[in-house]
Amino acid sequence: MARRRQLYEGKAKILFEGPEPGTLVQYFKDDASTANGTKKGTITGKGVLNNRISEYLMSRLAEIGIPTHFVRRLNMREQLIREVEIVPLSMVVRNVAAGSLSTRLGIAEGTRLPRSIIEYYFKNEALNDPLVSEEHITAFGWAGTADLDDMVALALRINDFLMGLLLGVGITLVDFKLEFGRLWENDEMRIILADEISPDNCRLWDSKTNEKMDKDRFRRDLGKVEEGYQEVARRLGILPEAGTRDLKGPETMQ
Ligand code: UDP
């Protein structure tokens, strides 16, 4: 079988050329690392779970009219997506203080924020993805004012919808990171949601106990990392049918 052309390999995903022009295949790995790369490891079954969780959440978002790059899931670890020109910004939406916001501003983790807050980070690994303002973004041309307005409006709608959906299954959406891309269709450009939405880029806490069910279990050495991701999928009703057995990828038959 002809090998597909690999276009990009990131920390948690690989992008391959898609079966038709304008599409890509997004492959989810089990690899995990912290933002500054100080800690590396694997979380068994993470790729399978993130593929399912992101498929599920992006499909729900599409149903309420949020444009996304997701087309369909192809198999346990791969999904077909639309090729976009990624805007070089990470948009973080926060509902509860945690992580870098708590460290930077001295607000105790778990403090409910007076309103949802959006932060922008410039996607540049060599600079450790620095926090930037709207002024930096428009002055340096990473995105124009109209694009930024679209991204903020989408991010707030996504936050409202996901907060409700997750609360319904006993999960508090503390914060999450989004990436957007530009899709060109007949000389017209639209901003659409790209990347993934999964416990790798969301903080998800049990709404009763505040127990963490996301990548902080890995980042902070809390143990039971796989279990956290599985519990999110289980509560959403999308845990792969064979349970954890089919999370490890194909096994050679004797
Ligand atoms: N996040 C991410 N990728 C990054 C940095 C952050 O997906 O490179 C997500 C993270 O999972 C969390 C949110 O963005 O849900 C806010 O992260 P924060 O700024 O608090 O940084 P951290 O404490 O994770 O370094």
Side-chain angles (χ1 to χ4, degrees):
M1 198 184 87
R3 286 288 301 160
R4 288 171 304 181
R5 197 152 70 92
Q6 182 176 314
L7 302 177
Y8 168 83
E9 176 156 12
K11 287 174 234 156
K13 294 189 290 288
I14 305 174
L15 292 178
F16 295 99
E17 209 168 57
E20 57 215 64
T23 66
L24 300 175
V25 172
Q26 180 164 249
Y27 176 98
F28 288 76
K29 302 193 280 186
D30 283 349
D31 296 353
S33 62
T34 48
N36 52 13
T38 46
K39 187 176 175 206
K40 288 195 170 68
T42 56
I43 302 172
T44 308
K46 172 173 85 80
V48 173
L49 290 165
N50 282 356
N51 188 21
R52 293 238 176 185
I53 293 170
S54 199
E55 170 197 19
Y56 178 75
L57 296 177
M58 292 231 181
S59 304
R60 295 286 81 78
L61 287 167
E63 284 167 12
I64 61 154
I66 303 283
T68 86
H69 74 161
F70 178 79
V71 179
R72 65 175 178 277
R73 190 166 59 84
L74 297 171
N75 55 48
M76 297 293 277
R77 286 182 184 272
E78 295 178 331
Q79 49 182 243
L80 187 69
I81 58 171
R82 286 198 271 187
E83 185 173 22
V84 294
E85 179 190 303
I86 289 287
V87 176
L89 297 172
S90 292
M91 312 249 312
V92 168
V93 185
R94 301 179 182 273
N95 301 304
V96 176
S100 72
L101 177 111
S102 293
T103 317
R104 201 179 327 112
L105 303 181
I107 299 172
E109 269 211 344
T111 308
R112 182 151 285 279
L113 299 171
R115 61 178 175 82
S116 302
I117 290 174
I118 296 188
E119 293 173 346
Y120 315 105
Y121 294 85
F122 177 43
K123 270 168 65 78
N124 183 315
E125 234 177 282
L127 300 175
N128 270 333
D129 296 354
L131 180 69
V132 293
S133 74
E134 195 172 328
E135 287 285 285
H136 299 117
I137 296 168
T138 50
F140 297 121
W142 300 323
T145 314
D147 293 356
L148 204 50
D149 286 350
D150 284 355
M151 289 190 274
V152 169
L154 288 170
L156 291 174
R157 282 179 66 201
I158 292 167
N159 183 46
D160 277 351
F161 181 77
L162 292 184
M163 263 208 302
L165 183 136
L166 290 164
L167 203 56
V169 296
I171 297 174
T172 303
L173 179 60
V174 171
D175 57 33
F176 59 103
K177 188 250 315 185
L178 296 174
E179 288 184 23
F180 292 94
R182 297 187 179 94
L183 181 70
W184 293 90
E185 277 169 334
N186 311 321
D187 280 351
E188 292 227 352
M189 190 277 286
R190 285 198 296 151
I191 295 281
I192 71 171
L193 180 64
D195 195 41
E196 70 180 295
I197 307 181
S198 74
D200 263 13
N201 55 18
C202 300
R203 284 197 168 93
L204 305 168
W205 295 359
D206 181 280
S207 54
K208 287 212 178 74
T209 64
N210 280 350
E211 194 181 350
K212 298 179 197 330
M213 300 157 72
D214 55 63
K215 198 172 152 193
D216 272 350
R217 300 204 69 85
F218 169 82
R219 295 188 189 103
R220 302 180 185 188
D221 294 318
L222 301 176
K224 295 200 171 159
V225 184
E226 288 85 356
E227 287 83 345
Y229 283 67
Q230 275 172 31
E231 182 59 15
V232 173
R234 193 191 66 75
R235 290 196 192 183
L236 291 172
I238 52 169
L239 194 64
E241 272 161 32
T244 51
R245 191 182 57 77
D246 63 355
L247 298 182
K248 291 182 181 139
E251 276 169 35
T252 312
M253 301 299 284
Q254 297 298 321

